[in-house]
Every structure is written in C-alpha cells, then in structure tokens.
Amino acid sequence: QVQLVESGGGLVQAGGSLRLSCAASGSIFSTNGVSWYRQAPGKQRELVAKIFTGGTINYADSVLGRFTISRDNVKNTLYLQMNSLKPEDTAVYYCRWDTNGGSYWGQGTQVTVSS
C-alpha cells in the first residue's frame, strides 16, 4: 500500500504560480513511475506530467514550458511547479504513484486560476 497526501492548491490570478506537493509513504520501494493528472469540471482526467523509472520526463503539450515536475527521493515527495498559470489550468490535480503492487492516487487538490 502507498499513501499519498497532496498539498499546495489554491486560488491564483492568471500569470501567477503555485507549487503542488505529494508526500508518499508506505510501499514505495517498487516505484515504476510518478505523475500528475488533472480533471476539470465536465472533462476527463488527463495526464499533466510524468517521471518514468529511468528519469525520462513527459509533459502535456498544454503545460510544456510552464510546468515542471520533480521528485525528492529523500523526502519521498513529488512536486509540480506551475508558472504562468492560465484560467484553463483550473482543475483538481491528482498525483499518481505506480508501483509493482498497483497504482495509487492522491486525494486531489483544487487549483483555481482567475482571469
């Protein structure tokens, strides 16, 4: 089992920045990949950014150049630095931890960007 606790969401004006955190605990020694997803009202959950096992990072085209995903292996924490935020970035953001034992999701944190 993996427990994930997210923090860092909130309300920000367009052009502003936020940093999301996802603290992991439990059976994280068999991690295959870590990622951030988001889900806007009425839309499907979509991948925002992912760090693969070998260190390769992928970003959704819509956030490329504005968001940065990173991971602190000592603190077992995943981050998402979000800059130049736009109203269309408004969504609930979820972290996901993929392990040999399955995939685990955080509880979600709301990000609202006002115009």
Side-chain angles (χ1 to χ4, degrees), residues 99-115:
T99 74
N100 289 342
S103 295
Y104 300 88
W105 293 90
Q107 81 281 8
T109 185
Q110 177 71 46
V111 171
T112 302
V113 185
S114 63
S115 57

Side-chain angles (χ1 to χ4, degrees), residues 30-96:
S30 60
T31 299
N32 294 328
V34 291
S35 50
W36 287 98
Y37 284 72
R38 68 185 181 187
Q39 187 166 18
K43 295 187 177 181
Q44 289 188 336
R45 192 171 297 189
E46 62 174 358
L47 177 65
V48 175
K50 181 173 182 176
I51 304 175
F52 291 84
T53 305
T56 301
I57 295 176
N58 280 357
Y59 293 97
D61 289 344
S62 58
V63 307
L64 192 62
R66 300 187 298 122
F67 290 11
T68 302
I69 188 173
S70 62
R71 177 182 173 185
D72 185 326
N73 291 327
V74 175
K75 296 181 178 179
N76 293 324
T77 301
L78 181 67
Y79 301 99
L80 185 68
Q81 177 66 43
M82 305 185 294
N83 299 328
S84 302
L85 283 161
K86 304 175 181 180
E88 51 263 43
D89 294 318
T90 295
V92 178
Y93 284 70
Y94 300 89
C95 61
R96 170 173 156 164

Side-chain angles (χ1 to χ4, degrees), residues 5-42:
V5 178
E6 299 180 35
S7 60
L11 173 64
V12 64
Q13 289 188 333
S17 298
L18 284 174
R19 189 176 82 153
L20 306 183
S21 299
C22 173
S25 60
S27 302
I28 58 175
F29 50 86
S30 60
T31 299
N32 294 328
V34 291
S35 50
W36 287 98
Y37 284 72
R38 68 185 181 187
Q39 187 166 18

